[in-house]
Amino acid sequence: MNNRCNRWLTINPLHLVLSASLFCIFCFCWGFTTCAAQMPEIQHRGYLIIGVKDNLRPLGFRDAHGNLQGLEIDLAKRLALDLLGKPDAVKLQPVANRDRLSLVLNKKVDLVIARVTANESRARLVSLSVPYYYDGATIVTKNTFVRQLSDLANRKIAVINNSSTIAQIRYYAPKAELVGVNSYQEGRSLTENNTVVAFAADATVLSGWVQQYPQYRLLPTKLSTEPLSVVMPKGLQYDDLRRQVNQAIAEYTATGWLKQRVEYWALP
């Protein structure tokens, strides 16, 4: 009897530790904290949860009826169609710029398609898909005499302070005078009141300006190329999800579907 009790007292703490660990893992993944969904769970659930922009025409914005529209909305619905069989098998969750990575890291969404530029620092935190669009800096103006980069010599151009666009303008238009601004709103204000003749910033944002305000137009030269990617979770357990997303985007590129949607939304 004493030997049996001694064996129990020796083994029992280990059993308790193992049982508690398994219980914590189970609760973490399936109950108390939401885990990022793997493909079998997404298929069982029946829909994707995708973070998108709702205030960035023409990538993701609300139309006059409050419906989400744009290139990235089209991509989200097409992925839902190809991964789950229905274009409406997706829950679109508007996200702020500061939350685009954290929502995936904190397992709140399956994917994010919200104008995320692929770079090394982001790739250390999350997985990034093959590009679905190449953004980059461009120049918008309403001055009828500015037609090409050479027309900007000795003219004032607004640029966002501390942005990479500053170096690009200095390279392509070295004789231009740069005027720093702290926001897109400030840049448009200076352009609108003719304090500057042009504003240099991201093509996706400035394309939206042109669509909303017909007096503006983009110069034909794009100053840089920056790939936009879908944000996906890291980890071997998400290999199937990442593979299906990457294969789908590669197919959309090869068949011309993405090009057609880019042209539809009047992106450069």
Side-chain angles (χ1 to χ4, degrees):
M1 179 66 179
N2 289 337
N3 289 338
R4 285 197 299 271
C5 289
N6 288 338
R7 284 197 300 272
W8 170 252
L9 291 173
T10 301
I11 295 171
N12 191 44
L14 178 59
H15 284 176
L16 289 174
V17 171
L18 291 174
S19 299
S21 298
L22 291 172
F23 178 75
C24 288
I25 292 171
F26 179 83
C27 289
F28 179 79
C29 288
W30 296 101
F32 301 162
T33 303
T34 303
C35 279
Q38 302 171 39
M39 271 309 299
E41 183 185 345
I42 292 171
Q43 291 167 340
H44 179 74
R45 180 208 295 154
Y47 60 90
L48 287 161
I49 304 173
I50 301 180
V52 297
K53 298 295 293 180
D54 67 348
N55 59 354
L56 184 61
R57 185 187 184 110
L59 294 184
F61 66 102
R62 295 191 183 276
D63 64 16
H65 304 287
N67 300 314
L68 285 167
Q69 302 287 334
L71 174 67
E72 293 178 335
I73 309 303
D74 289 349
L75 177 57
K77 292 180 178 179
R78 182 63 189 267
L79 286 172
L81 173 63
D82 289 339
L83 270 62
L84 298 175
K86 296 183 295 182
D88 59 349
V90 58
K91 179 181 178 181
L92 301 174
Q93 180 174 323
V95 299
N97 283 349
R98 64 179 180 276
D99 299 327
R100 291 176 297 178
L101 300 191
S102 64
L103 284 172
V104 173
L105 290 169
N106 294 327
K107 322 304 182 188
K108 301 299 184 183
V109 299
D110 302 316
L111 308 169
V112 165
I113 311 176
R115 193 176 164 267
V116 177
T117 303
N119 57 42
E120 290 184 7
S121 61
R122 287 172 175 159
R124 295 189 189 101
L125 301 173
V126 295
S127 290
L128 298 168
S129 75
V130 296
Y132 59 86
Y133 179 73
Y134 286 91
D135 199 0
T138 189
I139 298 170
V140 70
T141 185
K142 66 183 181 70
N143 189 301
T144 57
F145 297 103
V146 176
R147 295 288 178 180
Q148 54 192 354
L149 290 175
S150 59
D151 296 331
L152 296 172
N154 304 315
R155 304 283 193 107
K156 291 182 178 180
I157 304 175
V159 291
I160 294 179
N161 288 318
N162 302 315
S163 67
S164 59
T165 306
I166 294 172
Q168 294 153 5
I169 285 291
R170 284 176 173 163
Y171 178 80
Y172 285 100
K175 295 183 179 180
E177 180 181 345
L178 304 188
V179 178
V181 296
N182 293 317
S183 66
Y184 279 88
Q185 291 77 9
E186 187 180 353
R188 180 172 175 266
S189 176
L190 294 184
T191 308
E192 188 65 26
N193 64 26
N194 299 315
T195 300
V196 299
V197 298
F199 180 34
D202 292 323
T204 48
V205 179
L206 298 185
S207 294
W209 283 21
V210 173
Q211 294 174 25
Q212 289 180 281
Y213 311 108
Q215 68 269 33
Y216 288 96
R217 55 188 168 76
L218 298 178
L219 296 191
T221 303
K222 189 180 283 189
L223 309 180
S224 63
T225 301
E226 300 172 354
L228 300 187
S229 295
V230 177
V231 180
M232 305 177 289
K234 278 185 174 294
L236 293 176
Q237 66 270 39
Y238 306 111
D239 275 353
D240 192 23
L241 174 63
R242 292 194 299 266
R243 178 183 56 79
Q244 291 196 42
V245 170
N246 280 321
Q247 286 181 349
I249 294 174
E251 180 183 349
Y252 305 157
T253 301
T255 60
W257 181 84
L258 269 172
K259 181 180 179 182
Q260 184 271 328
R261 299 317 298 166
V262 165
E263 291 174 351
Y264 176 85
W265 290 110
L267 284 157

